[in-house]
Amino acid sequence: MDKRGQIVGGGLKNILIRERSGDKLEIGELLVVNDNFDPEDLYNNRNYTILQIKDIEYKSQISPAMHELLAGMELEGHNPDLGFVEPELANYSVAAAKPMLAVHQKKDKYETKSPKRLPNFFNPLFSIETEDLKFLKPKNTQNSLYLGNVRSGSNVLEDLNVYINAKDALTHHILIPATTGRGKSNLVKVMLCSLLSSKDAGILVLDPHDEYYGRNDIGLKDHEDSDDFLEYYSTDPPIGQSKLIINIKSITPKQVKGLTYLTQAQSEAVYLIHNRFGENWIFETFNTHHIEGVHPKTLQVLKRKLENILGIYVKKDEEGEVKLGYRSSLFKGGVVGESTIDNITESLEQGKIVIIDSSKLNDPEELLVGSMILEKLFYQYKEYNTDELRKKPVISVIIEEAPRVLGKEAMESPGGNNIYGTIAREGRKFQIGLIAITQLSSLIPKTILANMNTKIILGNEMSVERHAIIESAAQDLSEDNRIIASLDKGEAIVSSVFTKFAIPIKIPYFNDYIKKFQTGNEGKQEKVRTQISG
């Protein structure tokens, strides 16, 4: 092992390290300092501390005035051959590193704890190696969620994968904060790919960009187990996949309230109509000009609001019979689409990944579909007794632009008591969690952010957003502001109550990662015809 530097000062908050001449330490790099340095017995019985570099500065034994004078003489051509005597001793860099974890290793057993003591003064530091992080490897990866490989600065430890327990992480909610172009979609594809064969997790994916299934590119459909564990719904599905149709009889007043603001009179009216006409309440709202107990103006406003958010209107056929028309291909009447929600929830309870292509839906339509599925699942899971629930797969929903449903404005609005907020607060008790993706974490209330116990932090240039993430992280990231700002595409920090420390990772490129799961997948494009739920 080559020395990278030597401890020259500082304290537990920041240990100062003089960089070795000719070496280049990096911000975010992981280093190891041994407390009992015995090369003969290094991997059998040792105590060591893992540190991460937070900042690097120039230092010199020569005064700044002298530096400026010498630079000026060289720049102005007074003596271009000027130089320092023993420059490697006179000028150097000093890094500030934070102790991340104290480790006691005895052969193959590792004990870890937060650092409470300083490493020995003047001890040398070394680049971290796979052996130093062996305690990160799970005993069983079958029920684990793969996130990427350990990264030390820009160096990736290719043989050290980072996993977290899937059940714990999914039910305790995951937040993925990042700005555009930092690799959010690639990360989610990798996560879904690693979970696709597991029967222990049902994942609902609301996909506003139609990018996860792989309709026109490599996607989850190319996984060797996609026939058994992946379902795809779209209003315009490819051959063999399911058409997304929602029968308006499936829509409840509560779901409508989650989409638009209703006054107290309007709210009371929709429940009255629902109680009187049951599943036909939307049809009857449009079909009549008078409903006892509902003021005509209130009824008129309700029609207008339902028309706006659902695209429903009244038309008459050739015989003059009143019928409903649908501007959106998502909604239908009659019997078509009556079982769509049931079919999706059943698949999720079987541990499948269900992708909803919402690229052709507007915001209210996408949120309505998600709400209908999640409400049904939430109340089903709530009814299970402890033994029944233990046998069920955990459920998670991937929601992009999460502040739409979890933001302060959405949560505090009159109709803001939506199912997404309910799951964020209570879902863990019933094995249901969220994977929330957002560029604007600061719009989500602190109480909700604090409930998201795993954060996979990608690069973010916006200072306000970085602070919101740092303040709610599972580990102390108060010194990581600059590191988060400097994360390149595909680089991330995993801060979780289920990891020993905030782990820097490199996420693999999905098109490369999925090759591990493509054996025997050739020729699977030929499938049956498009399925339409009755």
Side-chain angles (χ1 to χ4, degrees), residues 170-173 254 374-375 377-379 381-383 389 395 406 411 416-434 447-448 450-453:
L170 294 174
T171 54
H172 285 69
H173 313 304
K254 184 180 179 183
L374 291 175
E375 276 186 12
L377 266 174
F378 182 79
Y379 292 108
Y381 267 51
K382 204 172 178 179
E383 291 298 315
L389 196 58
I395 302 293
L406 298 177
M411 301 283 284
N417 187 23
N418 62 61
I419 187 64
Y420 302 93
T422 303
I423 290 175
R425 289 187 295 266
E426 304 177 40
R428 187 171 61 192
K429 292 185 289 186
F430 308 111
Q431 297 189 174
I432 301 179
L434 300 172
T447 50
I448 300 294
N451 271 341
M452 297 187 165
N453 288 320

Side-chain angles (χ1 to χ4, degrees), residues 233-236 242-251 259 309-312 326-333 336-338 340-341 344 356-370 372-373 532-533:
Y233 283 80
S234 173
T235 53
D236 175 29
S242 301
K243 190 168 179 65
L244 181 64
I245 297 176
I246 301 296
N247 193 294
I248 60 166
K249 293 177 184 174
S250 310
I251 300 172
L259 299 175
I309 60 174
L310 302 178
I312 297 174
Y326 305 92
R327 294 191 181 89
S328 168
S329 58
L330 176 65
F331 301 111
K332 294 292 179 204
V336 179
E338 281 188 332
T340 299
I341 301 299
I344 292 173
I356 307 291
D357 166 26
S358 57
S359 61
K360 295 181 177 61
L361 308 183
N362 58 36
D363 260 14
E365 289 173 343
E366 182 194 26
L367 296 179
L368 176 64
V369 173
M372 294 176 77
I373 298 167
I532 299 177
S533 299

Side-chain angles (χ1 to χ4, degrees), residues 391-408:
K391 295 173 185 173
K392 292 288 178 182
V394 300
I395 302 293
S396 186
V397 55
I398 295 176
I399 176 77
E400 299 216 17
E401 300 174 26
R404 288 182 297 165
V405 288
L406 298 177
K408 293 170 189 167

Side-chain angles (χ1 to χ4, degrees), residues 2 31 62 69 102 122 127 142 153 173 189 201 203 258-259 269 273 346 351 373-374 398 402 424 427 454 467 487 523:
D2 293 329
L31 298 173
I62 300 168
L69 175 62
F122 231 55
S127 295
Q142 189 175 359
H173 313 304
K189 283 183 187 175
I203 312 289
L259 299 175
I273 299 169
E346 188 178 331
I373 298 167
L374 291 175
I398 295 176
T454 296
H467 283 294
L487 290 173

Side-chain angles (χ1 to χ4, degrees), residues 42-290:
L42 195 56
Y43 290 118
N44 290 320
N45 187 7
R46 67 167 178 152
N47 294 305
Y48 59 96
T49 302
I50 297 171
L51 304 95
Q52 187 177 39
I53 295 176
K54 305 295 183 182
D55 201 4
I56 306 171
E57 288 186 349
Y58 290 120
K59 293 287 183 179
S60 178
Q61 297 297 313
I62 300 168
S63 71
M66 184 60 70
H67 280 145
E68 293 165 10
L69 175 62
L70 291 175
M73 292 176 69
E74 188 169 318
L75 287 169
E76 303 305 330
H78 287 271
N79 189 347
D81 297 328
L82 276 175
F84 293 98
V85 177
E86 296 180 327
E88 71 278 7
L89 296 179
N91 302 311
Y92 48 89
S93 296
V94 169
K98 180 180 177 181
M100 307 286 283
L101 199 67
V103 185
H104 173 66
Q105 177 196 358
K106 191 166 187 179
K107 295 186 176 178
D108 291 332
K109 292 184 178 179
Y110 294 81
E111 292 178 11
T112 61
K113 56 185 178 182
S114 297
K116 295 181 175 60
R117 295 183 299 182
L118 283 169
N120 294 335
F121 186 67
F122 231 55
N123 262 10
L125 294 106
F126 304 89
S127 295
I128 201 159
E129 297 181 352
T130 300
E131 189 71 26
D132 301 318
L133 295 170
K134 209 171 176 180
F135 56 85
L136 290 178
K137 293 185 176 179
K139 292 179 182 175
N140 182 359
T141 59
Q142 189 175 359
N143 298 316
S144 299
L145 173 60
Y146 170 71
L147 300 175
N149 288 65
V150 173
R151 175 180 53 80
S152 175
S154 56
N155 181 42
V156 180
L157 303 185
E158 297 290 354
D159 56 347
L160 191 54
N161 298 338
V162 176
Y163 292 93
I164 51 177
N165 182 287
K167 181 176 180 180
D168 289 340
L170 294 174
T171 54
H172 285 69
H173 313 304
I174 296 174
L175 178 72
I176 302 177
T179 50
T180 302
R182 296 306 183 104
K184 294 190 297 288
S185 300
N186 183 68
L187 166 63
V188 173
K189 283 183 187 175
V190 169
M191 291 167 63
L192 291 173
C193 190
S194 79
L195 288 174
L196 198 140
S197 301
S198 171
K199 294 180 180 177
D200 297 322
I203 312 289
L204 174 65
V205 186
L206 300 173
D207 184 1
H209 306 296
D210 195 18
E211 58 190 336
Y212 298 123
Y213 177 73
R215 183 192 290 253
N216 302 312
D217 200 353
I218 295 175
L220 292 170
K221 73 176 190 315
D222 299 296
H223 192 293
E224 61 185 351
D225 291 328
S226 63
D227 282 347
D228 297 323
F229 294 103
L230 180 69
E231 291 191 3
Y232 178 69
Y233 283 80
S234 173
T235 53
D236 175 29
I239 294 174
Q241 298 305 312
S242 301
K243 190 168 179 65
L244 181 64
I245 297 176
I246 301 296
N247 193 294
I248 60 166
K249 293 177 184 174
S250 310
I251 300 172
T252 65
K254 184 180 179 183
Q255 289 155 357
V256 170
K257 282 184 68 179
L259 299 175
T260 186
Y261 169 67
L262 298 181
T263 64
Q264 186 173 349
Q266 293 161 6
S267 180
E268 290 174 358
V270 293
Y271 281 107
L272 184 149
I273 299 169
H274 183 262
N275 290 338
R276 191 167 298 169
F277 299 104
E279 62 182 18
N280 292 316
W281 73 279
I282 292 179
F283 176 80
E284 293 299 335
T285 300
F286 283 94
N287 188 42
T288 183
H289 297 293
H290 173 73

